[in-house]
Amino acid sequence: MKCNIICKFADEKAEQMNAVVTPEKALRFDRMLSAASRAVLSAHIHADGDAVGSCSALLHYLRESRGIDAHVVLPDRDAGGTSFLIPEEDRPYYHFHLTDAADAEAVIARSDLVILLDCNSFSRTEGLEAALRGSAAPKVLIDHHLNPETESFDLIFSTEAISSASEMLFQVLCAMPDVAGDASRLPAHSAVALMTGMTTDTNNFANSVFPGTFEMASRLLAAGVDRDAILSQLYNSYRENRLRVMGFLLGKMTLTPEGAAYMILTKRNMNAFGISEGETEGFVNIPLSIREVRLSVFLKQDAGYFRVSTRSKKGTSAQQFAARYFNGGGHENAAGGRLYFSDSITSIKDVVAYLENALNEFLS
Ligand code: 5GP
Ligand code: MN
C-alpha cells in the first residue's frame, strides 16, 4: 500500500524547486550584483520575521561579501518583534517610510538595483509602491507567495513549494560563486537572519515545512547558528501585556457551528492593554489547536479598517477566504486582508455581522 505520509513530496515538487534557481538565473543574479553599487531591499508592510530576516540576511551578504552599499527600506514604522536582527551599527542602513518618508524615498531614488523580498507585488509595500515602481533600476523578486507580479521584475526567484522567502534566498545565495553551496561562507549575521525568517514563517517548523527546509536548517546549524538564542529572542522575550491580552481574547473567542473561530481586538482594548504593533503576532494560530476548528480569523482595528489575519487547516483555504471577503491574499493556509469601515459597516456590530456571514457562506 502506498504511504501518503512518506509520499507527500512527489518528484514534480522537487523538479519545481530545482527549476527556480537554475544555473542560468543564478549567473544573471551574480552579474546584476557585480554591476550594482547601491542596492535597495524592501518587503511587505507589517514586516514579519521572514520579511526582516530575508532583508537583513541579504543586506549583510551584499555589504560584507559583495562590497555593495545596500540599504533596507520598509513601509512600516519599525521592525517590531524582529528588531533584534538590527544591531546598533546597522541602523544607518534601515529606513522606515512611516517614520521618514523623504529619507526612504531618497534611498530608493539613488539605488541602481531594487530587490523585493517576501512580497509578491509592489502594491503590498503600501507607501513605497510609487517610488519602487518608478525606479529605473533593474528589479529582482525573491519570494514564496502565490501570484507574483511577474511583469514588474527583470529576474524572479519564487515558488510556493518552499517554507519562506528566507529559504528561497538561502538557495539563491548558495548558488553564488563565492558561497558555492557552503553555508559557512555566508556572513554570520546572514545565517542567523535566514534561520530566523524560516523559523517564524513555519511557526517554528510546524507549517509549510518541505524537505529543503530541514536541510537548510541543518546546514545553518552546522555553520554555527545558535538556534537557542534565536528561539529565546522570538518566543521567550515578550512583555507581560501580550499574555494578558491573549488571555482576554481567548476568553472572548467565538466558535461558529461551521468550524470557524474568531477573535476581534479593538483599538480601545489595544489601548487598555497597552499593546503595540506586532505584539499580537501568532494569536491567530491558537484556535486551530481546537479539534473542530478548521479556519481561524483574527481582526485587529487599525486606522479606518480592521486588519484581518486568517489561518486554516489542510482542506480549507485561508487564502481564498481572505481574497473573497477581505480583498487580501497570502498562502493557502495563512493569509490576510482588510475590512474597511464603509456606509454599511460603521460599528463593531456590523463588523461581526459581516464576518459571521462570510464564515457561514464560505464554510457551509
Ligand atoms: P499575517 O496574518 O501574518 O499578517 O499574514 C499572513 C500571510 O498573508 C502573509 O504571507 C502575508 O504576506 C499575507 N497577507 C497579510 N495581509 C495581506 C493583505 O492585505 N493582502 C495580501 N495580498 N496578503 C496579505
Ligand atoms: Mn514569508
Side-chain angles (χ1 to χ4, degrees), residues 65-121:
S65 306
R66 307 297 294 239
I68 295 172
D69 182 18
H71 289 254
V72 176
V73 176
L74 293 170
D76 311 291
R77 205 173 295 287
D78 55 47
T82 330
S83 299
F84 70 91
L85 286 180
I86 310 178
E88 191 62 41
E89 63 271 24
D90 282 4
R91 294 267 178 83
Y93 311 137
Y94 284 81
H95 310 265
F96 294 95
H97 193 250
L98 283 181
T99 304
D100 190 340
D103 168 58
E105 287 164 25
V107 171
I108 295 171
R110 68 168 189 249
S111 296
D112 57 10
L113 180 62
V114 171
I115 306 178
L116 188 65
L117 297 120
D118 196 27
C119 184
N120 59 356
S121 158

Side-chain angles (χ1 to χ4, degrees), residues 44 48 50-51 118 143-145 163-165 201 331:
H44 66 74
D48 55 10
D50 191 30
D118 196 27
D143 186 39
H144 70 127
H145 288 90
S163 67
S164 52
D201 254 31
H331 311 284

Side-chain angles (χ1 to χ4, degrees), residues 67-359:
I68 295 172
D69 182 18
H71 289 254
V72 176
V73 176
L74 293 170
D76 311 291
R77 205 173 295 287
D78 55 47
T82 330
S83 299
F84 70 91
L85 286 180
I86 310 178
E88 191 62 41
E89 63 271 24
D90 282 4
R91 294 267 178 83
Y93 311 137
Y94 284 81
H95 310 265
F96 294 95
H97 193 250
L98 283 181
T99 304
D100 190 340
D103 168 58
E105 287 164 25
V107 171
I108 295 171
R110 68 168 189 249
S111 296
D112 57 10
L113 180 62
V114 171
I115 306 178
L116 188 65
L117 297 120
D118 196 27
C119 184
N120 59 356
S121 158
F122 284 125
S123 63
R124 294 223 60 233
T125 64
E126 292 275 317
L128 294 173
E129 179 177 358
L132 288 170
R133 277 193 198 287
S135 164
K139 298 182 181 73
V140 180
L141 178 68
I142 300 176
D143 186 39
H144 70 127
H145 288 90
L146 279 165
N147 309 324
E149 186 186 317
T150 47
E151 64 280 12
S152 301
F153 295 90
D154 301 285
L155 183 59
I156 296 177
F157 297 99
S158 177
T159 175
E160 292 159 64
I162 202 160
S163 67
S164 52
S166 295
E167 188 178 336
M168 190 75 261
L169 176 61
F170 177 80
Q171 302 279 353
V172 172
L173 294 183
C174 282
M176 293 299 100
D178 59 329
V179 181
D182 181 353
S184 69
R185 293 191 194 159
L186 291 168
H189 181 99
S190 300
V192 168
L194 290 170
M195 180 73 101
T196 302
M198 180 175 54
T199 302
T200 56
D201 254 31
T202 58
N203 193 13
N204 201 7
F205 295 88
N207 320 118
S208 312
V209 169
F210 293 84
T213 314
F214 286 125
E215 193 191 320
M216 165 176 160
S218 168
R219 287 161 69 187
L220 290 175
L221 281 179
V225 169
D226 183 347
R227 195 171 121 79
D228 293 343
I230 293 173
L231 293 186
S232 166
Q233 289 281 4
L234 287 175
Y235 303 121
N236 292 332
S237 301
Y238 295 121
R239 295 188 313 140
E240 177 187 341
N241 305 36
R242 178 179 190 271
L243 265 76
R244 298 290 174 200
V245 78
M246 185 194 282
F248 168 79
L249 286 168
L250 289 173
K252 284 171 61 93
M253 170 182 66
T254 303
L255 298 181
T256 76
E258 307 87 28
Y262 68 82
M263 302 185 285
I264 300 177
L265 181 58
T266 59
K267 262 265 179 292
R268 208 160 67 120
N269 284 328
M270 272 184 87
N271 292 337
F273 281 93
I275 285 294
S276 54
E277 184 57 49
E279 284 191 300
T280 54
E281 188 84 38
F283 284 9
V284 66
N285 294 306
I286 304 171
L288 286 184
S289 64
I290 301 169
R291 186 195 302 267
E292 293 78 16
V293 172
R294 46 195 176 118
L295 184 69
S296 166
V297 189
F298 177 53
L299 265 66
K300 187 159 89 172
Q301 194 172 5
D302 209 315
Y305 65 94
F306 277 81
R307 273 179 65 192
V308 180
S309 269
T310 179
R311 302 289 185 270
S312 60
K313 286 181 183 156
K314 236 180 151 173
T316 302
S317 176
Q319 193 273 331
Q320 278 179 29
F321 182 68
R324 200 173 299 168
Y325 299 98
F326 300 102
N327 195 29
H331 311 284
E332 182 64 8
N333 299 118
R338 289 179 182 188
L339 180 61
Y340 283 90
F341 284 113
S342 64
D343 291 346
S344 56
I345 299 176
T346 60
S347 65
I348 305 290
K349 229 173 101 184
D350 296 339
V351 169
V352 171
Y354 180 88
L355 175 61
E356 293 224 341
N357 182 58
L359 287 168

